[in-house]
RNA sequence: GCCAUCUUAGCUCAGGGGUAGAGCACUUCCAUGGUAAGGAAGGGGUCUCGGGUUCAAAUCCCGAAGAUGGCUCCA
């Protein structure tokens, strides 16, 4: 972390204390949980018993916080012996702090997750237990805290309270539910303003809103939550993306296969998924009966295609792809537009490879991923999800170590911007998770490449080696777009609905000036010509003003609009209206109709037109 | 699944214990139009669903479903 980041961190953390100070002044009976720094800001968990705070109280809290800031209270660190600290917590009636301290005393740590860890008192000696912990005080307010803080309450930059959420004490639903107050904070008012503007922009681009406005998908109560239906426009997006992905895969030697969407549950018992994630299988809403279920993933099915006949080392790699829909019983609270659904379609593939072919296959896949996201104008970075020392993983640790080495080498060779994330691996093997950064700077995981030694083992997959001995292949799972639904949610927000020409559901809209026979005929001639060139074109000959029809085309963010009337019929020349983000030599040049259509075709075919946002 | 908030026409939303509202969209008519909304008329709602209170419930109360924001989870 740079010095600047350290300072921002201290500011945010100090603001959490200042908020707690303000809340303690306004509600002296408050029981405080923890108050860590999070991305872009901070929060504090509070428990007010029967009272609940609402966002209407933010004004009061913020103005109290401003008072604390103006008082320029110094942050003073002190140490207390652990028992003394526990007494303090008792006297201050802070049961949550007391619990943390007791855990510290007993275990030297608390069992809670990462966020809590930064909140714990400093361990000054010994491994197994703690002798003393650190406190920070500002004015009358003292809190168990490891720090660091800024020197005084007036050095905290700009902040704003954002929202209230329910949160369980230490993240467990067995515990008391507290209220979590979130704030954002930045070093300068300007950065805060930029952040708030970004949130405004994100709201405007919300894919659920754009999905409705641009008529891309719908969710019907009768069909059910998490089961989106795609309209013709949305389906064009889906199909074009899938087509591109499959072209990349075909070039990499992948052949299409097909599997039904239902299976005997037994398949997942053999694969090991059922025992590993029982809670994901025991819910009837995606199950058809005790013995059959909707498929929640694809790999075990494809493994059966491999297993259907004897394989030779000469056959490998065998590369199968299938863009297919799977069904997962996501909990209702987890569903969100297209980004979290119950029916998700993956551009899935599985390669069965010899161990000496793993690196090449990984390299080839990384190439596809790079090509895809270059065209989609989404910069990418990579998380190498490796195992940790826990026993959550199947298989031989030695094989894992070897595979992880190969993966890291490939990441280096391909010059990927990568981070290693221990403990993030799937239970059957290490993964490469590809993270894209959208136009608003938000990060999303999309593509994933996963190495799997376990399913070949579970399904007893074999090939006959050069020496005549049966050998076990490895499986390489991959999805370039990941879930198409989820990718669309990211991409709709990335582009704000201004899709590049090759993807645009409607590439050209022809607007007629009037309803005269001659005009209508000319419009339909141009439409036919464009359609024959493979373009997606519609004619708006509604009995409306030209201005109105232009406006409608704009609202649908159609890349090219041409108005046809008497002038165009006579001259054969059009003055296209081109969506502003599209780079062209001149926005206002007149074109011969046929020439113009051919230019669009070229742009479409190259798939390289970037939407500059 | 848990907590909070919300659910009124296809969409965006106002209203609120006593005959259900607007804009857009839709239909029809007039206007035949020139690069972001031409004019008029009309149709459209068991006010999410189920119970309760009341002379009377869309409105108040309870419950359910769905949505939204979080929490938790994400093979």
């Amino acid at each position: 972390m740079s010095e600047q980041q350290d300072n921002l961190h201290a500011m945010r953390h100090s603001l959490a204390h200042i908020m707690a100070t303000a809340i303690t002044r306004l509600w002296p009976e408050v029981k405080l949980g923890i108050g860590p720094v999070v991305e872009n800001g901070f929060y504090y968990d509070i428990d007010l018993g029967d009272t609940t705070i609402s966002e209407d109280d933010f004004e009061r809290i913020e103005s109290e916080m401003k008072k604390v800031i103006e008082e320029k209270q110094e942050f003073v660190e002190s140490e207390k012996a652990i028992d003394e600290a526990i007494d303090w917590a008792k006297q201050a009636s802070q049961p949550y702090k007391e619990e943390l301290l007791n855990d510290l005393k007993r275990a030297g740590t608390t069992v809670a997750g990462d966020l809590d860890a930064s909140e714990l008192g400093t361990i000054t000696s010994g491994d197994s237990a703690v002798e003393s912990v650190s406190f920070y005080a500002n004015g009358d307010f003292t809190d168990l805290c490891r720090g660091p803080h800024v020197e005084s309450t007036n050095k905290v930059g700009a902040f704003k309270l954002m929202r209230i959420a329910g949160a369980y004490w230490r993240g467990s639903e067995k515990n008391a539910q507290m209220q979590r107050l979130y704030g954002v904070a930045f070093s300068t008012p300007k950065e805060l303003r930029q952040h708030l503007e970004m949130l405004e922009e994100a709201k405007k681009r919300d894919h659920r809103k754009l999905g409705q406005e641009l008529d891309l998908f719908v969710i019907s109560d009768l069909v059910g939550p998490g089961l989106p239906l795609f309209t013709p426009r949305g389906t064009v997006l889906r199909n074009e993306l899938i087509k591109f992905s499959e072209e990349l895969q075909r070039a990499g030697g992948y052949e299409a296969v097909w599997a039904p969407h239902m299976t005997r549950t037994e398949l997942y018992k053999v694969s090991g998924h059922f025992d590993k994630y029982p809670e994901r299988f025991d819910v009837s809403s995606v199950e058809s009966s005790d013995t059959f279920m909707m498929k929640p993933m694809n790999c075990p099915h494809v493994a059966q295609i491999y297993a259907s006949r004897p394989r030779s080392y000469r056959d490998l790699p065998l590369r199968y792809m299938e863009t297919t829909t799977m069904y997962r019983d996501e909990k209702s609270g987890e569903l969100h537009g297209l980004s979290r659904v119950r029916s998700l379609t993956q551009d899935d593939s599985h390669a069965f490879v010899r161990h000496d072919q793993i690196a090449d296959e990984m390299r080839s896949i990384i190439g596809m991923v790079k090509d895809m996201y270059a065209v989609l104008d989404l910069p990418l970075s990579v998380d190498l999800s490796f195992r940790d020392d826990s026993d959550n993983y199947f298989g031989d640790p030695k094989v894992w170590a070897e595979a992880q080495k190969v993966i890291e080498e490939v990441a280096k060779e391909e010059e990927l911007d990568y981070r290693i994330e221990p403990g993030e691996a799937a239970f059957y093997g290490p993964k490469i998770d590809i993270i894209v950064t959208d136009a608003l700077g938000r990060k999303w995981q999309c593509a994933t490449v996963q190495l799997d030694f376990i399913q070949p083992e579970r399904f007893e997959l074999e090939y006959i080696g050069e020496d005549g001995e049966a050998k076990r292949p490895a499986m390489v799972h991959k999805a370039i777009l990941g879930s198409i639904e989820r990718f669309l949610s990211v991409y709709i927000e990335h582009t704000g609905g201004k899709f590049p020409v090759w993807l645009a559901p409607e590439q050209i809209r022809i607007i007629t000036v009037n309803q005269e026979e001659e005009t209508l005929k000319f419009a339909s001639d141009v439409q036919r010509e464009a359609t024959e060139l493979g373009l997606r074109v519609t004619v708006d000959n509604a009995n409306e003003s030209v201005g109105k029809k232009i406006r409608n085309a704009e609202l649908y963010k159609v890349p090219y609009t041409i108005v046809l009337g008497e002038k165009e019929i006579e001259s054969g020349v059009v003055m296209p209206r081109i969506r502003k983000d599209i780079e062209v030599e001149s926005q206002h040049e007149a074109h011969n109709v046929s020439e113009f259509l051919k230019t669009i075709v070229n742009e479409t075919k190259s798939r390289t037109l970037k939407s500059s946002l």
Side-chain angles (χ1 to χ4, degrees):
Chain A
M1 243 196 269
S2 71
E3 200 172 308
Q4 216 171 10
Q5 283 170 320
D6 276 344
N7 190 42
L8 183 57
H9 189 275
M11 281 181 177
R12 287 172 175 163
H13 193 52
S14 301
L15 276 164
H17 280 232
I18 290 168
M19 181 166 73
T21 309
I23 292 169
T24 309
R25 285 184 184 177
L26 296 167
W27 293 273
E29 74 282 12
V30 66
K31 310 281 182 260
L32 296 168
I34 57 166
V37 174
V38 289
E39 195 178 4
N40 301 321
F42 59 93
Y43 69 79
Y44 219 112
D45 284 348
I46 63 165
D47 182 354
L48 279 170
D50 295 334
T51 314
T52 49
I53 288 185
S54 81
E55 295 188 7
D56 299 337
D57 296 311
F58 279 179
E59 227 179 288
R60 283 170 70 198
I61 299 172
E62 282 184 355
S63 73
E64 197 63 42
M65 286 173 74
K66 279 179 189 137
K67 279 187 212 160
V68 176
I69 289 168
E70 278 157 23
E71 286 163 21
K72 297 184 186 173
Q73 300 174 356
E74 210 180 320
F75 279 99
V76 184
E77 187 185 2
S78 65
E79 296 259 327
K80 279 195 204 333
I82 184 74
D83 290 319
E84 199 186 322
I86 293 171
D87 283 344
W88 164 84
K90 274 185 191 150
Q91 265 175 19
S93 324
Q94 291 296 346
Y96 298 107
K97 298 291 180 190
E98 192 183 330
E99 186 183 324
L100 288 176
L101 286 162
N102 278 322
D103 281 352
L104 271 172
K105 184 184 176 185
R106 192 178 59 245
T109 178
T110 72
V111 206
D114 292 332
L115 288 179
D116 306 47
S118 68
E119 271 302 282
L120 303 176
T122 313
I123 299 167
T124 52
S125 67
D127 294 336
S128 55
V130 170
E131 282 172 18
S132 69
V133 291
S134 62
F135 280 78
Y136 276 83
N138 55 291
D140 297 333
F141 180 78
T142 301
D143 199 1
L144 166 68
C145 176
R146 192 166 64 177
H149 282 283
V150 292
E151 24 187 302
S152 153
T153 54
N154 67 333
K155 304 207 167 157
V156 288
F159 74 96
K160 185 174 191 303
L161 299 190
M162 296 301 287
R163 67 176 78 91
I164 291 185
Y168 296 107
W169 169 236
R170 303 176 102 174
S172 164
E173 53 190 271
K174 292 184 194 97
N175 290 337
Q177 176 116 23
M178 308 183 73
Q179 284 195 293
R180 175 166 297 178
L181 277 65
Y182 281 96
V184 290
F186 292 89
S187 306
T188 62
K190 190 181 164 199
E191 286 167 282
L192 176 66
R193 203 173 56 239
Q194 282 169 350
H195 178 75
L196 296 175
E197 278 165 12
M198 190 277 278
L199 292 179
E200 266 315 294
E201 184 61 30
K203 219 178 195 173
K204 272 188 230 155
R205 290 171 178 230
D206 188 317
H207 74 275
R208 294 165 301 185
K209 184 168 173 277
L210 286 173
Q212 152 85 335
E213 288 172 4
L214 302 179
D215 190 18
L216 300 175
F217 63 92
V218 292
I219 293 173
S220 146
D221 279 352
L222 270 179
V223 174
L227 300 167
L229 309 167
F230 284 82
T231 62
R233 285 170 184 279
T235 306
V236 169
L237 287 179
R238 274 176 75 99
N239 289 350
E240 287 294 325
L241 286 165
I242 290 168
K243 192 164 102 191
F244 186 21
S245 169
E246 291 188 344
E247 276 170 27
L248 289 171
Q249 293 179 71
R250 213 167 283 121
Y254 282 78
E255 297 176 284
V257 295
W258 188 88
H261 293 197
M262 231 172 133
T263 173
R264 286 182 63 208
T265 306
E266 186 65 18
L267 177 69
Y268 285 92
K269 293 192 171 159
V270 175
S271 72
H273 292 99
F274 194 93
D275 294 328
K276 189 71 188 176
Y277 298 96
E279 76 283 0
R280 321 262 332 149
F281 288 84
D282 65 2
V283 182
S284 58
S285 58
V286 293
E287 253 180 72
S288 303
S289 74
D290 288 342
T291 51
F292 284 86
M293 59 186 281
M294 302 299 289
K295 66 175 174 186
M297 73 196 84
N298 215 25
C299 25
H301 303 247
V302 177
Q304 298 315 299
I305 297 177
Y306 180 93
S308 65
R309 54 172 64 210
R311 306 291 181 181
S312 148
Y313 72 96
R314 292 198 193 90
D315 297 331
L316 303 190
L318 269 174
R319 305 183 182 94
Y320 297 143
M321 65 171 175
E322 184 188 10
T323 305
T324 187
T325 307
M326 3 211 176
Y327 305 88
R328 297 181 181 181
D329 184 42
E330 304 293 357
K331 301 280 188 291
S332 60
E334 297 165 333
L335 300 171
H336 180 89
L338 290 183
S339 54
R340 199 70 183 274
V341 293
R342 285 178 167 146
S343 58
L344 56 129
T345 309
Q346 259 184 16
D347 56 338
D348 209 4
S349 78
H350 301 88
F352 299 85
V353 299
R354 306 192 305 256
H355 283 209
D356 61 291
Q357 294 170 325
I358 290 174
D360 279 345
E361 197 56 38
M362 298 288 246
R363 219 169 278 132
S364 147
I365 291 170
I366 295 293
M368 296 174 202
V369 170
K370 280 181 164 176
D371 285 352
M372 171 67 88
Y373 288 100
V375 168
L376 293 169
D377 194 24
L378 282 161
L380 47 87
S381 64
V382 156
D383 281 355
L384 305 184
S385 300
F386 288 175
R387 64 176 292 163
D388 53 25
D389 294 332
S390 72
D391 53 4
N392 292 329
Y393 308 97
F394 285 21
D396 181 356
K398 265 193 225 153
V399 179
W400 275 78
E402 186 197 323
Q404 292 182 174
K405 207 175 109 198
V406 168
I407 287 175
E408 197 176 347
E409 275 164 17
V410 172
K412 270 188 197 145
E413 274 169 43
E414 292 292 321
E415 295 178 346
L416 296 174
D417 169 16
Y418 74 92
R419 280 187 318 191
I420 293 179
E421 299 284 340
E424 291 295 314
F427 73 93
Y428 48 73
K431 302 190 286 186
I432 305 180
D433 289 323
I434 284 92
I435 317 284
V436 302
T437 304
D438 74 10
L440 300 182
R442 299 171 300 177
K443 291 183 185 298
W444 310 91
Q445 196 215 307
C446 291
T448 179
V449 188
Q450 310 186 358
L451 197 50
D452 181 354
F453 301 106
I454 307 313
Q455 290 195 62
E457 191 83 32
R458 307 279 301 204
F459 289 117
E460 299 179 3
L461 304 183
E462 288 176 351
Y463 66 91
I464 306 302
E466 212 170 345
D467 55 7
E469 298 285 320
K471 300 205 162 52
R472 189 127 291 161
M475 259 172 108
V476 182
H477 309 239
K478 170 233 91 227
I480 302 180
L481 294 164
S483 145
I484 310 294
E485 289 79 9
R486 184 181 149 79
F487 177 77
L488 274 174
S489 77
V490 172
Y491 196 65
I492 289 169
E493 297 187 6
H494 175 63
T495 58
K498 292 180 182 172
F499 302 113
V501 181
W502 69 274
L503 265 178
E506 182 183 351
Q507 293 161 325
I508 310 173
R509 184 173 295 193
I510 297 169
I511 289 174
T512 61
V513 171
N514 54 39
Q515 268 75 46
E516 275 158 29
E517 202 176 314
E518 209 186 353
T519 316
L520 296 180
K521 180 174 180 306
F522 187 55
S524 87
D525 286 348
V526 175
Q527 181 183 30
R528 187 175 321 112
E529 188 177 345
T531 307
E532 280 166 6
L533 288 166
L535 296 170
R536 294 183 287 269
V537 54
T538 59
V539 174
D540 185 353
N541 57 17
N543 194 0
E544 289 289 353
S545 67
V546 173
K548 177 72 161 289
K549 292 195 271 190
I550 294 276
R551 179 179 144 85
N552 286 339
E554 288 281 342
L555 290 175
Y556 272 99
K557 305 185 201 291
V558 178
Y560 301 97
T561 306
I562 49 182
V563 177
L564 299 183
E566 215 172 314
K567 282 190 289 185
E568 289 74 16
I569 295 171
E570 270 169 33
S571 64
V573 169
V574 292
M575 181 79 84
R577 198 182 160 94
I578 302 174
R579 209 178 59 201
K580 291 194 185 60
D581 59 290
I582 296 171
E583 291 165 34
V584 287
E585 280 148 38
S586 169
Q587 289 274 349
H588 302 290
E589 214 165 290
H591 296 262
N592 168 287
V593 178
S594 301
E595 293 299 311
F596 175 61
L597 293 179
K598 277 174 200 150
T599 331
I600 300 178
V601 171
N602 283 338
E603 286 163 358
T604 303
K605 277 191 180 145
S606 67
R607 274 203 189 106
T608 50
L609 248 204
K610 289 181 183 173
S611 63
S612 54
L613 296 163

